[in-house]
């Protein structure tokens, strides 16, 4: 996960010339939030660093390579799904755990891509003197997230990834990382991989794929990652969770990916040149805390990167279309964001007194 020894030494020398090597806290909940932090490796690998995330399969894989602390999963939307007391208990546990981590590590800088599970990391980081950088979720194209609205006022620097969010955060920096690739798509085998993401089961997606596999619409071999406690249909290969390395191996082989509307799942599949059909979770069905996945999938569909399927019949039609059109590759390219972050790091590192400004010029409005 880190570069060669010589490259690392070169980066350390550059950091030393700038002032001092910093300690960075990289805070993100599971799925696409933590994957975006991984995209920022060129900046955080230049400094002492540790992650704070949830204990998902991806988080556990991350912990094999870098120093990682785990906090309990909680999200404000759990109250909407009828579990306010469970949310409150986990929030309290997260607050105590986050305070312990920040007090023990004492980072110079906290970089967070959200969401709720790491809010207290941002809060206590700010209270204990760290420079706070909040990167609003890539999943938010049209409207800000609750995490962004709460954590933004704590941030010295706020970054958004859609120009449309500027009306909510007029002083934020804007970096749109989505990029089409010209690479030729690799050869694939007849495999359909369905994934519901790391956090919640998604039986509507699983049932739709299983039904089309049973009636012969899906002729490809099928592997489904169902989420913990999710439906386990007969006749297909099923796993509740998969290590990130196994997910990557499946994506290298799969010609078609059917996934929930999470940016992490879609971008990871697009990087491997898979056809992507996304079924967004719906709040009214109790599948998620809100309907932001519809916003995400629609944005990807407008760019020709994915097709949306809300029902089993939608999925049947999308599969027929996918098999007739060429595959495309896309990724997130955070070069400009990394350059901005490097400037912030150099500013902090050059401050021999370690002082933090009370308010930075690009702080988000309350």
């Amino acid at each position: 996960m880190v570069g060669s020894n010589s490259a690392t030494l070169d980066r350390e020398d550059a950091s030393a010339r700038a002032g001092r090597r910093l300690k960075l806290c990289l805070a993100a909940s599971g799925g696409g939030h933590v994957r975006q932090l991984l995209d920022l490796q060129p900046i955080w690998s230049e400094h002492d660093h540790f992650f704070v995330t949830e204990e998902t399969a991806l988080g556990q894989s991350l912990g094999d390579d870098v120093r990682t602390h785990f906090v309990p999963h909680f999200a404000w939307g759990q109250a909407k799904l009828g579990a306010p007391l469970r949310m409150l208990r986990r929030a309290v546990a997260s607050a105590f755990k986050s305070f312990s981590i920040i007090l023990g590590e004492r980072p110079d800088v906290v970089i967070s891509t959200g969401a709720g599970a790491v809010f207290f990391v941002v809060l206590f980081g700010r209270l204990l003197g760290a420079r706070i950088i909040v990167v609003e979720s890539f999943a938010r194209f049209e409207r800000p997230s609750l995490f962004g609205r709460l954590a933004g006022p704590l941030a010295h620097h706020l970054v958004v990834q859609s120009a449309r969010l500027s009306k909510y955060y007029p002083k934020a920096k804007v970096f749109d990382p989505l990029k089409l690739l010209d690479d030729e798509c690799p050869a694939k085998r007849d495999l359909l991989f369905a994934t519901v993401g790391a956090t919640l089961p998604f039986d509507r997606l699983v049932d739709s794929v299983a039904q089309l596999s049973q009636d012969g619409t899906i002729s490809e071999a099928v592997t489904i990652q169902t989420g913990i406690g999710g439906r386990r249909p007969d006749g297909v290969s099923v796993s509740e969770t998969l290590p990130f390395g196994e997910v990557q191996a499946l994506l290298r082989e799969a010609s078609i990916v059917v996934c929930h509307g999470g940016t992490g799942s879609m971008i990871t599949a697009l990087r491997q040149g898979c056809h992507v059909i996304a079924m967004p979770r719906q709040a009214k069905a109790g599948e998620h805390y809100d309907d932001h996945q519809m916003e995400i999938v629609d944005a990807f569909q407008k760019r020709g990167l994915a097709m949306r399927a809300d029902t089993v019949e939608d999925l049947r039609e999308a599969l027929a279309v996918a098999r007739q059109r060429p595959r495309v590759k896309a990724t997130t390219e955070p070069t400009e964001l990394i350059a901005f972050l490097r400037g912030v790091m150099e500013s902090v590192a050059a401050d021999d007194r370690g002082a933090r400004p009370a308010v930075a010029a690009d702080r988000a409005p309350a």
Side-chain angles (χ1 to χ4, degrees):
M1 188 166 291
V2 295
S4 66
N5 290 337
S6 60
T8 301
L9 289 173
D10 289 342
R11 289 192 294 265
E12 290 177 3
D13 289 343
S15 180
R17 289 192 298 272
R20 62 188 175 93
R21 197 162 186 253
L22 303 173
K23 179 182 279 192
L24 307 187
C25 170
L26 305 156
S29 56
H33 295 279
V34 75
R35 286 174 186 165
Q36 181 158 24
L37 285 180
L38 296 178
D39 288 345
L40 301 178
Q41 181 184 350
I43 184 65
W44 52 254
S45 61
E46 296 174 358
H47 299 275
D48 182 17
H49 56 270
F50 65 94
F51 279 76
V52 181
T53 188
E54 300 169 339
E55 199 167 2
T56 61
L58 177 56
Q60 292 171 342
S61 298
L62 180 63
D64 293 336
D65 296 313
V66 296
R67 189 163 80 256
T68 303
H69 300 279
F70 297 112
V71 291
H73 169 74
F74 85 95
W76 319 112
Q78 286 172 323
K80 295 181 182 179
L81 296 184
L85 292 180
R86 182 172 63 180
M87 184 206 72
L88 182 60
R89 286 195 300 270
R90 290 186 176 182
V92 170
S94 180
F96 277 101
K97 181 67 173 178
S98 299
F99 181 73
S100 174
I101 293 167
I102 295 300
L103 185 64
E105 293 278 7
R106 295 305 294 262
D108 297 295
V109 178
V110 175
I111 304 175
S112 180
T113 53
V118 294
F119 170 74
F120 292 112
V121 175
V122 173
L123 173 63
F124 293 129
R126 177 66 194 240
L127 292 176
L128 293 178
R131 182 77 64 93
I132 305 298
I133 303 169
V134 170
V135 182
E136 174 65 289
S137 173
F138 179 61
R140 297 294 179 163
F141 292 92
E142 303 286 347
R143 294 175 295 277
S145 67
L146 179 58
F147 174 82
R149 295 197 299 270
L150 293 175
L154 300 173
H156 297 94
H157 306 278
L158 180 67
V159 171
V160 299
Q161 301 180 82
S162 168
R164 296 181 183 180
L165 292 182
S166 295
K167 63 182 178 181
Y168 298 100
Y169 303 116
K171 296 182 180 180
K173 303 294 185 183
V174 181
F175 300 101
D176 184 348
L178 194 59
K179 179 182 178 182
L180 282 167
L181 298 175
D182 295 329
D183 306 10
E184 184 177 348
C185 289
K188 300 281 189 174
R189 70 182 182 92
D190 289 335
L191 171 65
L192 184 148
F193 175 48
T195 174
V196 306
T199 304
L200 301 169
F202 189 8
D203 291 342
R204 177 163 59 93
L205 184 153
V206 172
D207 290 345
S208 297
V209 171
Q211 178 179 330
L212 295 185
S213 177
Q214 291 165 3
D215 71 15
T217 299
I218 298 176
S219 57
E220 296 86 354
V222 175
T223 294
I224 306 178
Q225 179 263 318
T226 67
I228 297 174
R231 197 106 69 207
R232 299 178 62 89
D234 296 329
V236 294
S237 174
V238 175
S239 298
E240 287 192 339
T241 64
L242 290 168
F244 189 56
E246 291 187 25
V247 172
Q248 291 283 69
L250 284 167
L251 292 175
R252 284 192 291 271
E253 295 189 354
S255 58
I256 300 173
V257 170
V258 179
C259 61
H260 72 143
T263 55
S265 294
M266 287 193 285
I267 286 293
T268 307
L270 286 166
R271 282 174 177 159
Q272 299 296 336
C274 306
H275 287 302
V276 176
I277 303 172
M279 184 173 286
R281 296 177 186 268
Q282 298 179 7
K284 67 181 182 181
E287 295 164 345
H288 214 308
Y289 313 132
D290 58 29
D291 287 325
H292 76 275
Q293 288 200 355
M294 295 184 185
E295 178 184 322
I296 297 168
V297 175
D298 288 346
F300 274 67
Q301 183 166 256
K302 287 176 183 177
R303 299 192 190 201
L305 301 177
M307 288 180 285
R308 175 172 168 174
D310 292 306
T311 67
V312 67
E313 291 307 316
D314 289 345
L315 180 56
R316 191 191 307 275
E317 293 175 9
L319 287 166
V321 173
R323 295 188 182 105
Q324 298 300 316
R325 73 181 195 178
R327 290 179 283 118
V328 297
K329 293 183 72 175
T331 189
T332 48
E333 176 50 72
T335 303
E336 293 181 351
L337 175 56
I338 288 170
F340 167 73
L341 294 175
R342 182 167 285 117
V344 174
M345 300 305 135
E346 290 174 355
S347 174
V348 177
D351 187 351
D352 293 334
R353 296 167 301 168
R356 312 287 192 272
V359 179
D362 58 343
R363 175 181 165 181

